[in-house]
Amino acid sequence: MTAQRSRRDFLKQTSLIAAASSLPLGRAWADDFVEAATTYGRIRGLDAGGINTFKGVPYGGTTAGANRFMPPTGPSAWSGVRDALEWGPSAPQREPGAARQTSRLAVSTASLPEESEECLVLNVWTPEVNDRRRRPVMLWCHGGGFSTGSGSSPITDGTNLARRGDVVVVTINHRLNVLGFTFLEDLGGSDFAGSGDAGMLDIVQALEWVRDNIEQFGGDPDRVTVFGQSGGGRKVSTLLTMPSAQGLFHRAIIESGATIKLVEREQATRVAGEFMARLGLGRSQVRELQRLPVERIMAAYFAVVREMNVDQMTMGFSPTVDGRFVPRHPYHPDASDIAAAVPVMLGSTRTELTSSADAEAFSLADDAMRARVGALLGEKAPGVIDVYRNANPGATPSDIYFLIASDHRYNAPVMKIAERRSALGQGPVYLYYFRWESPLDGGRLKSPHTIEIPFVFDNLDVSPLTAGSDAARALADKVSDAWIAFARSGDPNTPKLPAWPAFDAAARATMVFDDDSAVVNDPIREARIAMYDALGLS
C-alpha cells in the first residue's frame, strides 16, 4: 500500500479495524493516521478511537534462501515512512493442495492472513506514542502448537486490552513447523546451529525489537510480560529456559501450556533425517533444503508427520533441547533456574478437550468411556475412573472422559509445573483453574481450551464462546484486570477478586475463575493425585 492511498479508501476495505476495536465503522473513517519512529525507519499506523495501531511491522530480516533454518537477523532499514496499516503475512502452515479447514472456535488461525516465508512481523496497540509514559508491555505468543497460528487474530486484537489497562500490547508472527523447528545441526554441522529452535529465536528477536523500540510507543522496556495460550504458553515456558531471552522480559503468563519436556536432540535428528529422505536428499545434502521451493518443503513435512505419527509437542518439528539455545527441558526433572526470579502466572481450563472432541465423545456409554480412558492410561485406567466418579457424583460417562482427558493433557502437568517452579523459591508463582462454562451449544463444551482468551483480551463479542453473555462480561472485568495487574507489578491481585496468594506445594492456593471466583487450596486434589500417579509425575 502506498502512502498516497487515501485514508477513506483504505478504511472502506479494512472495516475489521472498526469491528475489532468495538467502534462504529463511521467513527473509524474519521480517525487519523499516526507515525512513530523505529530503529529501522518511521512507520505509519492508525489512531482508532484513541488507540494507536501499527500492523505488520518488520522485526526481522529475510528468512528465505540462505537464511532458511538460520537464526533471525534484523530487518533492512527503509527511507521515508512505511505503512503499518494491514496485517503482515503468517508463517507457512497449510498443506499445499489441501482444502483449507476452518473452525468456529479457532483463535490463532481465525481470519488467517496470507502466508509467506517472510513472516517476521509484529503488531502494536498503544494508547499514545512518544509521551514518555513507560507503560507495561504485554507481548502475546499465539497458540496453534508450534505448527500453526498467527498473531493476527480478531480475538487477540489488542485494542480493548490496551484501552482498559493503559498498557502496550504486542502480537507477533514467527517461523513455525518445519521452517521453524527442524533440527539440522547433527546432519549439517555447526553452520546449522539453532535450526531446531529458529522459531523460538524469532521470538527472542521480537523481544529485542521491543527492548530497542517500545519507548517510542509509550512502553517500558523494563516491564515486559510474555504471555500465551496453548502453543503460546509452551513458547513462554521455553523462553524461561533460554539464556538469550533473559533480561528481555520480566513476567511470564502460561495459559494451558503444559510443557514439561521438549524434543530430545536424538529424536529431532531422526525426524530431520526422515524429512530429508522424503525429499530425496541424503543426510549430507542439508544445504539443498535452502534451495527448494517452500511448497515442496511443506508437502514433505506434512507427509512425514503422517507417516511417523509425529506428536509435534515432544517428537519433532518443535523446540529441541540442543544444549545451547535451549540447554535443558523447562520442567524436567525440575524447573529450569535460568529465569528463576521472573514472576509466573499459569493455569488451565476444566474441560480443555471438549473444544477438539469428536461428536461421539459427547454421548459415550460407560464401556466406550472406559475404552477411551484405557487408551490414555493403560492399566491405571480403572482406578483413575473410580477416583473421578467419586469426586464427581452424577457425572455422565462423557463428563468423566473429558475430565480425565483434560487433566491428563493439561491440568495435571500445569499443576506439576507450578510445583516445580515454586520450588525454586525465587519469583512468585500464581496458579489458576478456569471453570466458567460457555453457554454455546447448550453448554455442552463447558470450559474448553481457549475459553479464557476473550476474557483476557476483553474481546467477548468476537468469540462464539462468550458473545452475548452478561455473565461473561462480568467475569472479563475481573480476569482482564488480573492479567493487567500482573503485567504492571508481577502480582495479579485486584480489588475485584478475592485475595490471591502465591502458590506453594503445601497450601496449593489456586484462583478458581467462575461467576463467583474464589481461592481454593488444591481444587481437584483426589483427581490430581490419581493423575500424577498415572503419568509418573512424582
Side-chain angles (χ1 to χ4, degrees):
M1 181 185 300
T2 66
Q4 288 74 33
R5 183 174 175 180
S6 76
R7 182 172 71 244
R8 179 172 291 272
D9 287 346
F10 168 70
L11 289 170
K12 282 181 178 178
Q13 294 189 32
T14 56
S15 59
L16 279 177
I17 292 175
S21 58
S22 302
L23 291 172
L25 185 57
R27 169 74 180 277
W29 287 358
D31 289 328
D32 297 321
F33 290 132
V34 61
E35 293 185 9
T38 77
T39 50
Y40 303 101
R42 293 189 65 81
I43 55 175
R44 177 184 292 109
L46 183 71
D47 178 354
I51 298 299
N52 302 288
T53 302
F54 301 85
K55 294 182 176 179
V57 181
Y59 69 83
T62 180
T63 52
N67 287 341
R68 185 182 286 169
F69 306 116
M70 296 289 104
T73 59
S76 300
W78 58 85
S79 59
V81 181
R82 180 183 183 124
D83 279 338
L85 302 168
E86 295 184 83
W87 301 121
S90 300
Q93 55 197 267
R94 299 191 187 109
E95 183 172 10
R100 181 176 180 179
Q101 297 182 349
T102 60
S103 167
R104 60 180 175 162
L105 298 182
V107 174
S108 60
T109 57
S111 305
L112 194 70
E114 175 186 2
E115 295 179 13
S116 170
E117 253 189 298
E118 310 291 2
C119 63
L120 303 192
V121 295
L122 55 77
N123 315 297
V124 181
W125 291 264
T126 179
E128 192 56 80
V129 296
N130 300 316
D131 67 349
R132 302 183 183 276
R133 285 283 300 277
R134 295 179 68 89
R135 298 168 177 84
V137 180
M138 302 179 71
L139 186 143
W140 174 255
C141 298
H142 68 74
F146 293 99
S147 58
T148 65
S150 169
S152 310
S153 166
I155 298 178
T156 58
D157 180 288
T159 303
N160 291 334
L161 185 59
R163 180 181 291 116
R164 166 185 279 273
D166 193 32
V167 297
V168 179
V169 180
V170 180
T171 67
I172 63 173
N173 292 351
H174 58 86
R175 284 174 287 181
L176 298 167
N177 51 67
V178 64
L179 296 171
F181 301 104
T182 302
F183 181 71
L184 298 168
E185 185 174 356
D186 288 350
L187 301 177
S190 60
D191 286 351
F192 287 88
S195 56
D197 297 306
M200 291 304 308
L201 294 174
D202 292 345
I203 301 176
V204 174
Q205 176 78 11
L207 285 165
E208 291 176 346
W209 185 96
V210 168
R211 176 196 62 198
D212 297 340
N213 293 279
I214 209 66
E215 283 188 84
Q216 304 299 319
F217 297 82
D220 185 351
D222 296 321
R223 267 196 303 173
V224 177
T225 297
V226 288
F227 70 130
Q229 187 273 343
S230 192
R234 296 175 186 272
K235 294 163 195 173
V236 172
S237 282
T238 306
L239 286 170
L240 283 163
T241 198
M242 295 179 68
S244 60
Q246 302 321 301
L248 297 175
F249 65 94
H250 314 93
R251 303 94 163 82
I253 304 175
I254 303 166
E255 304 172 30
S256 300
T259 302
I260 290 178
K261 296 180 69 175
L262 298 171
V263 183
E264 298 277 4
R265 187 171 180 141
E266 182 179 354
Q267 169 67 13
T269 299
R270 186 171 77 88
V271 170
E274 292 292 331
F275 165 65
M276 291 185 65
R278 181 74 189 188
L279 288 164
L281 299 175
R283 294 167 71 92
S284 64
Q285 295 178 285
V286 176
R287 284 286 176 197
E288 293 300 314
L289 292 174
Q290 297 176 316
R291 302 183 180 99
L292 294 177
V294 173
E295 290 75 15
R296 281 196 62 193
I297 294 285
M298 295 302 294
Y301 152 70
F302 278 99
V304 169
V305 168
R306 281 193 293 268
E307 290 168 2
M308 297 185 72
N309 193 27
V310 173
D311 177 341
Q312 293 175 67
M313 299 303 178
T314 59
M315 293 179 63
F317 302 120
S318 59
T320 302
V321 178
D322 67 351
R324 178 183 172 188
F325 294 104
V326 179
R328 53 155 291 168
H329 294 292
Y331 301 104
H332 175 80
D334 52 13
S336 167
D337 63 358
I338 288 178
V342 171
V344 171
M345 182 168 73
L346 75 164
S348 50
T349 75
R350 183 170 182 257
T351 60
E352 297 267 6
L353 270 294
T354 54
S355 64
S356 56
D358 57 285
E360 289 78 11
F362 292 91
S363 56
L364 296 175
D366 189 74
D367 58 344
M369 176 271 288
R370 290 182 177 275
R372 290 187 181 223
V373 175
L376 285 178
L377 303 180
E379 63 181 15
K380 299 281 187 179
V384 170
I385 291 170
D386 288 345
V387 169
Y388 276 74
R389 283 207 179 280
N390 290 334
N392 299 276
T396 68
S398 289
D399 293 337
I400 295 296
Y401 166 69
F402 284 128
L403 289 171
I404 290 174
S406 298
D407 289 353
H408 172 269
R409 182 73 178 269
Y410 291 100
N411 293 315
V414 164
M415 291 171 182
K416 179 55 69 173
I417 288 171
E419 280 181 32
R420 291 179 177 173
R421 180 78 189 179
S422 66
L424 294 173
Q426 296 192 44
V429 175
Y430 296 91
L431 181 65
Y432 71 84
Y433 183 63
F434 208 93
R435 281 191 60 121
W436 188 87
E437 297 188 356
S438 170
L440 183 68
D441 290 350
R444 76 171 189 162
L445 297 177
K446 300 186 185 296
S447 310
H449 196 59
T450 76
I451 193 172
E452 82 281 8
I453 295 177
F455 290 90
V456 171
F457 280 87
D458 199 12
N459 286 338
L460 302 176
D461 292 337
V462 184
S463 170
L465 292 170
T466 52
S469 169
D470 291 337
R473 200 163 303 283
L475 183 56
D477 185 51
K478 302 168 184 176
V479 171
S480 192
D481 274 12
W483 262 243
I484 291 164
F486 185 79
R488 195 171 299 282
S489 67
D491 183 333
N493 275 284
T494 166
K496 297 177 181 179
L497 286 167
W500 185 352
F503 178 92
D504 64 69
R508 309 187 69 89
T510 306
M511 177 63 74
V512 179
F513 285 113
D514 207 335
D515 289 330
D516 295 312
S517 299
V519 171
V520 180
N521 291 341
D522 209 358
I524 58 168
R525 181 178 184 277
E526 294 80 8
R528 175 187 61 79
I529 292 171
M531 193 57 67
Y532 276 10
D533 176 65
L535 292 171
L537 290 173
S538 58

